[in-house]
Amino acid sequence: MKIQSLIGKFKRSNTRKSQLTIVVQPSALFFSSIPGLSLPQQIAYEGASWQDALYKVLKGAGASDLSVDVVLHSNLYQSYQIEKPSIPDEELTSALPFLLKDLITEKVTDIVADYRPLPMGNKLQVYVIPRSLVVSLSGQLSQLNIALERVLIEDDVWAYSAGELSQFLLLQRSKKGQFRVSAFSEGQCAFQRTIRGVASPLTGVASSALQLDGLALELQRSIDYLSSQLRGTPLHQMKVCCDEEEQQEVAQALSERLSVGVTVLSERGDESGVLLVESAALLSEGAINLFPSLLKPKKDYFTLTNIAIGWGVTTIALLVFYALLSYQQLALQEDLRLVRSQEAEFRQQVDTLSQRLAKHKPSPAKVAAVSRLELEIESKRQSLDAVSEYDTAQQVGYSGVMRSLAKLGRDDISLSSITIDTHTLDLKGLAREPQVIPNWISQFKSELDLVGRTFDKLKIGRNDQDIITFELKTKEGTK
């Protein structure tokens, strides 16, 4: 067995893992359900980093041999709009950190970036995250035998949260987060803005009508801006998903103040983290991924254990192969022995038959006598064939030919000589004009005894009395 096939089996075994989605919010972690693993729907991480809280809860639940997608809150990544450079698309991802060097404070080697073309203008929306964040997260998960597959952004996930509605505005606030307004078109985030100066709560006892008025004013400014920038994208519907708020009340108040329709995103009033977990399953493969393959840990398949296993399997395979060849060799040797025994027996039979054949060879005198008899038989057979042919000719006779010639008699044709036998019919005679001869011959085909007889030669002349003479040489055709 080749070592490459062993490595392929190890790789396939590592890829067969259950998929877990984790959503990171400003105050809590949300988990998707997975068979065979008991994880809470959400867990708060106040007073600790979300990475440590994630590691603790996964370790406590005994999670292992999983594949994980992590959806980050907008506070954990930055977004920039840049002009699209004139470089090939396959080189653009690796060039992004250098294109952002004037916009960021980190070194270009300390960030991870991914991009998406914007529908308005020749621009790119670029998302950036510290390299140390994804590297440390991947390292912590690998300690639990959990593979980090993708690091996603919530802007991509919110685009699929409105069901069949593909073009809409979203007012969203997570618990302990800020109000944000976003615009989505065909599964992409085309616009995102954080609304400052508006604090929660908007509803309830501690609310103020001025808060809603200020929020509505900021939202209307964003709507007017999008109307001028995204002319081909109709954005007439706004969804509301604000944690710690009476969402129906917020939607009703904004609907009275804005130029677009406003409804709640979830009729059940689910929190943002729950909706993100549900919508993450709809995310396409082309979504923003801030954990590229070059950062994924490379599995070292050439460990001492794997090499020992490989050599062990190879040794066993060679031993089995050697035993099989030895068994086949013994079987072939036995077959060879039987064949040689049969060969000796056949040679003895050949010698015996050769001796018997020598005793049964005829003498030269008998051979000569047989030859003479064969010649005599052949001569008699030829005689019989000639007699048979003569008898057939006699049976046919010539009376039919004569009757047919008499039947075809004409005033302008006169026969003076008829020569007939089995194979030939020769005619001589006189004719009034030359052209009557072909006309008369053409009538032969209407007579059974004359049909099929062909003329080999036609001779026309004149005698001493200046009368036209003709001579026909015919043979009987094959019937």
Side-chain angles (χ1 to χ4, degrees):
M1 183 181 294
K2 296 182 178 180
I3 191 67
Q4 288 84 352
S5 60
L6 290 175
I7 296 175
K9 289 187 177 181
F10 294 153
K11 287 183 178 180
R12 287 192 294 270
S13 63
N14 288 336
T15 56
R16 298 191 186 113
K17 296 181 179 180
S18 302
Q19 184 72 35
L20 175 66
T21 300
I22 302 171
V23 174
V24 182
Q25 290 289 280
S27 62
L29 299 175
F30 293 80
F31 301 90
S32 64
S33 61
I34 186 171
L37 184 62
S38 178
L39 281 173
Q41 185 181 30
Q42 63 175 295
I43 180 172
Y45 59 87
E46 294 182 1
S49 67
W50 68 269
Q51 296 98 321
D52 295 338
L54 176 61
Y55 179 83
K56 184 178 180 179
V57 69
L58 291 177
K59 185 177 181 180
S64 180
D65 196 28
L66 299 176
S67 178
V68 170
D69 285 347
V70 177
V71 180
L72 297 180
H73 186 258
S74 59
N75 293 342
L76 300 175
Y77 58 86
Q78 293 80 41
S79 63
Y80 303 93
Q81 287 187 13
I82 62 173
E83 295 292 333
K84 184 178 181 181
S86 57
I87 59 177
D89 292 342
E90 57 271 14
E91 300 178 6
L92 187 54
T93 301
S94 58
L96 282 178
F98 300 95
L99 297 174
L100 298 171
K101 61 185 177 66
D102 296 331
L103 302 176
I104 59 177
T105 58
E106 300 89 346
K107 296 180 181 179
V108 294
T109 56
D110 294 339
I111 65 170
V112 178
D114 199 1
Y115 74 97
R116 172 180 290 114
L118 284 174
M120 47 185 179
N122 191 28
K123 294 184 178 182
L124 301 178
Q125 184 76 33
V126 183
Y127 298 89
V128 178
I129 192 174
R131 185 188 185 100
S132 57
L133 189 151
V134 293
V135 172
S136 62
L137 177 61
S138 175
Q140 285 182 314
L141 294 177
S142 63
Q143 295 177 16
L144 302 175
N145 193 24
I146 297 176
L148 178 60
E149 287 297 322
R150 296 185 295 176
V151 175
L152 308 171
I153 59 173
E154 68 173 0
D155 287 344
D156 275 352
V157 182
W158 283 123
Y160 293 88
S161 61
E164 297 181 356
L165 188 62
S166 61
Q167 295 175 340
F168 64 100
L169 297 164
L170 174 65
L171 174 64
Q172 188 270 331
R173 177 186 175 272
S174 300
K175 185 178 180 181
K176 293 190 177 181
Q178 294 179 307
F179 287 97
R180 299 190 311 147
V181 59
S182 305
F184 300 97
S185 175
E186 303 300 335
Q188 294 186 9
C189 180
F191 172 82
Q192 188 274 326
R193 175 194 171 196
T194 299
I195 300 177
R196 306 185 186 279
V198 178
S200 180
L202 298 175
T203 58
V205 178
S207 64
S208 170
L210 294 177
Q211 288 276 76
L212 284 172
D213 291 339
L215 177 61
L217 179 60
E218 295 297 328
L219 292 176
Q220 189 61 52
R221 288 176 179 174
S222 298
I223 293 171
D224 295 339
Y225 170 77
L226 291 172
S227 298
S228 63
Q229 296 296 320
L230 302 176
R231 297 184 182 276
T233 303
L235 297 172
H236 304 307
Q237 182 68 34
M238 175 176 285
K239 295 291 184 179
V240 174
C241 180
C242 297
D243 298 348
E244 301 179 311
E245 300 285 353
E246 292 294 335
Q247 299 192 43
Q248 289 286 359
E249 185 177 341
V250 174
Q252 178 65 30
L254 293 178
S255 180
E256 297 172 355
R257 292 171 170 86
L258 298 179
S259 60
V260 296
V262 183
T263 57
V264 296
L265 183 62
S266 172
E267 296 292 341
R268 304 188 305 266
D270 292 330
E271 292 186 38
S272 299
V274 176
L275 293 176
L276 286 171
V277 169
E278 294 177 354
S279 303
L282 305 175
L283 205 60
S284 63
E285 291 295 331
I288 296 294
N289 181 14
L290 295 175
F291 187 52
S293 58
L294 60 90
L295 293 182
K296 293 184 178 180
K298 302 300 186 293
K299 181 68 174 178
D300 186 10
Y301 297 100
F302 291 96
T303 62
L304 181 59
T305 302
N306 290 343
I307 292 175
I309 293 174
W311 279 112
V313 172
T314 303
T315 302
I316 293 173
L318 290 175
L319 290 175
V320 171
F321 187 63
Y322 176 76
L324 180 62
L325 289 179
S326 300
Y327 175 77
Q328 291 180 347
Q329 183 181 12
L330 292 176
L332 291 175
Q333 287 178 349
E334 181 64 21
D335 293 341
L336 180 60
R337 187 187 63 80
L338 292 175
V339 169
R340 287 178 176 176
S341 176
Q342 292 177 353
E343 181 187 11
E345 182 179 352
F346 290 153
R347 287 183 181 278
Q348 185 178 1
Q349 292 179 1
V350 169
D351 294 339
T352 302
L353 292 175
S354 298
Q355 293 175 2
R356 294 174 59 185
L357 179 62
K359 295 179 180 179
H360 287 81
K361 285 185 178 180
S363 63
K366 292 181 179 179
V367 173
V370 169
S371 299
R372 291 193 299 272
L373 290 174
E374 289 177 349
L375 291 174
E376 183 179 356
I377 291 172
E378 181 64 23
S379 176
K380 290 182 178 180
R381 183 180 291 109
Q382 293 177 356
S383 299
L384 288 174
D385 291 342
V387 171
S388 176
E389 182 179 355
Y390 177 77
D391 289 343
T392 301
Q394 291 298 319
Q395 290 174 5
V396 174
Y398 308 123
S399 58
V401 175
M402 299 303 292
R403 283 195 302 271
S404 297
L405 290 173
K407 187 176 180 180
L408 297 176
R410 298 167 53 134
D411 295 338
D412 49 4
I413 292 290
S414 174
L415 294 177
S416 60
S417 174
I418 300 174
T419 304
I420 186 171
D421 58 22
T422 305
H423 301 290
T424 62
L425 174 63
D426 297 337
L427 302 175
K428 293 182 180 180
L430 304 175
R432 184 175 300 171
E433 295 178 355
Q435 60 269 26
V436 301
I437 300 173
N439 293 337
W440 178 62
I441 294 173
S442 64
Q443 295 176 351
F444 281 18
K445 61 183 179 181
S446 62
E447 294 297 327
L448 179 63
D449 292 301
L450 296 179
V451 69
R453 294 182 180 271
T454 59
F455 296 98
D456 291 338
K457 183 178 180 182
L458 171 61
K459 183 178 180 181
I460 300 176
R462 291 182 180 272
N463 57 14
D464 296 338
Q465 290 80 26
D466 198 26
I467 299 175
I468 296 173
T469 63
F470 67 90
E471 184 177 350
L472 291 171
K473 298 289 186 177
T474 67
K475 285 187 177 180
E476 184 181 17
T478 304
K479 297 182 181 180

